[in-house]
Amino acid sequence: DAKTTQPNSMESNEEEPVHLPCNHSTISGTDYIHWYRQLPSQGPEYVIHGLTSNVNNRMASLAIAEDRKSSTLILHRATLRDAAVYYCILRDWEYGNKLVFGAGTILRVKS
Amino acid sequence: GAVVSQHPSRVICKSGTSVKIECRSLDFQATTMFWYRQFPKQSLMLMATSNEGSKATYEQGVEKDKFLINHASLTLSTLTVTSAHPEDSSFYICSARKVTPDGYGYTFGSGTRLTVV
């Protein structure tokens, strides 16, 4: 399975932007980059995904490096409700298009 | 759209008994669903891939006779933990995969907290 590397934890101030990095140096050309987040005692929630181009939706933006070996999830204005574990996952069609979770990044938001 | 319902949200059972957890895709058909387990302060661990109308595919190290998976319809997969023991206590989460224009989308259930006493 293609692997991702994320910082263990990050901290942000409320109302400020947050940039969550993800390294995926072994990504293949057909792997999609997915981001999910999980609040305590809940199932993961979809945030955003992309292949090559930067992506925007109502929740966040995804900036993908030109060589695709890294990506950054951008929360434009963090709120207390954004405090969660954020997972960067590669969807690998060679391995059955399963989502295999890494350790993720714990995001803490300070008021 | 793309809602997944998981039931029950919490269950306590006695050691040696079996527990069934249901995962339903409410507004789409899911030929493939996934089952995960999560221990406290750890990430989700993929247990198995549930395929409608065929046998589940289990990840390495997961006992298929212990964790029985049935995917009898396009909207329902069940996970039965047989002869449960305290070490099976965990947070179990299902995910349903939906076909999208760029491949697949994945929606997760809200999880089931299993406690074996």
Side-chain angles (χ1 to χ4, degrees):
Chain A
D1 294 333
K3 295 288 190 291
T4 62
T5 304
Q6 299 177 252
N8 291 333
S9 65
M10 291 184 66
E11 201 166 78
S12 170
N13 293 316
E14 202 175 9
E15 302 295 315
E16 291 186 358
V18 181
H19 290 235
L20 296 165
C22 181
N23 287 321
H24 28 78
S25 58
T26 60
I27 191 170
S28 71
T30 54
D31 290 344
Y32 277 79
I33 303 159
H34 286 248
W35 283 83
Y36 283 78
R37 69 183 186 183
Q38 185 182 26
L39 277 68
S41 298
Q42 294 187 27
E45 174 190 27
Y46 170 80
V47 178
I48 201 166
H49 77 283
L51 182 62
T52 56
S53 305
N54 293 343
V55 185
N56 300 295
N57 65 23
R58 61 177 179 82
M59 287 182 71
S61 295
L62 177 60
I64 302 173
E66 200 168 327
D67 64 4
R68 299 211 326 127
K69 294 185 184 299
S70 66
S71 61
T72 302
L73 177 70
I74 303 165
L75 306 179
H76 296 286
R77 289 179 64 197
T79 69
L80 296 178
R81 290 181 298 176
D82 291 322
V85 180
Y86 286 78
Y87 296 100
C88 168
I89 308 164
L90 300 184
R91 171 163 64 86
D92 189 340
W93 73 270
E94 284 191 12
Y95 290 94
N97 283 291
K98 302 179 284 190
L99 293 187
V100 177
F101 285 72
T105 296
I106 299 170
L107 174 65
R108 298 184 179 89
V109 180
K110 298 185 296 183
S111 59
Chain B
V3 178
V4 172
S5 172
Q6 188 171 342
H7 180 79
S9 57
R10 290 179 178 272
V11 59
I12 300 173
C13 71
K14 291 185 177 180
S15 208
T17 63
S18 296
V19 174
K20 181 185 284 187
I21 302 169
E22 292 187 348
C23 181
R24 294 180 185 273
S25 57
L26 298 186
D27 53 358
F28 66 99
Q29 294 183 334
T31 56
T32 302
M33 294 185 179
F34 304 92
W35 288 96
Y36 297 81
R37 67 188 298 183
Q38 184 175 33
F39 292 110
K41 299 193 183 302
Q42 293 187 23
S43 184
L44 284 75
M45 186 196 80
L46 179 64
M47 299 174 66
T49 302
S50 172
N51 303 298
E52 187 269 336
S54 64
K55 290 183 180 180
T57 306
Y58 291 82
E59 296 297 307
Q60 192 171 8
V62 177
E63 302 174 59
K64 61 181 181 181
D65 295 331
K66 173 108 182 127
F67 299 100
L68 300 180
I69 292 171
N70 184 277
H71 195 153
S73 80
L74 287 172
T75 59
L76 174 64
S77 174
T78 61
L79 169 69
T80 302
V81 183
T82 63
S83 187
H85 291 285
E87 56 266 32
D88 298 322
S89 298
S90 188
F91 192 51
Y92 292 86
I93 305 168
C94 71
S95 171
R97 190 172 75 186
K98 177 181 180 180
V99 176
T100 63
D102 64 357
Y104 297 105
Y106 303 77
T107 304
F108 289 79
S110 53
T112 297
R113 177 79 56 195
L114 171 63
T115 303
V116 184
V117 298

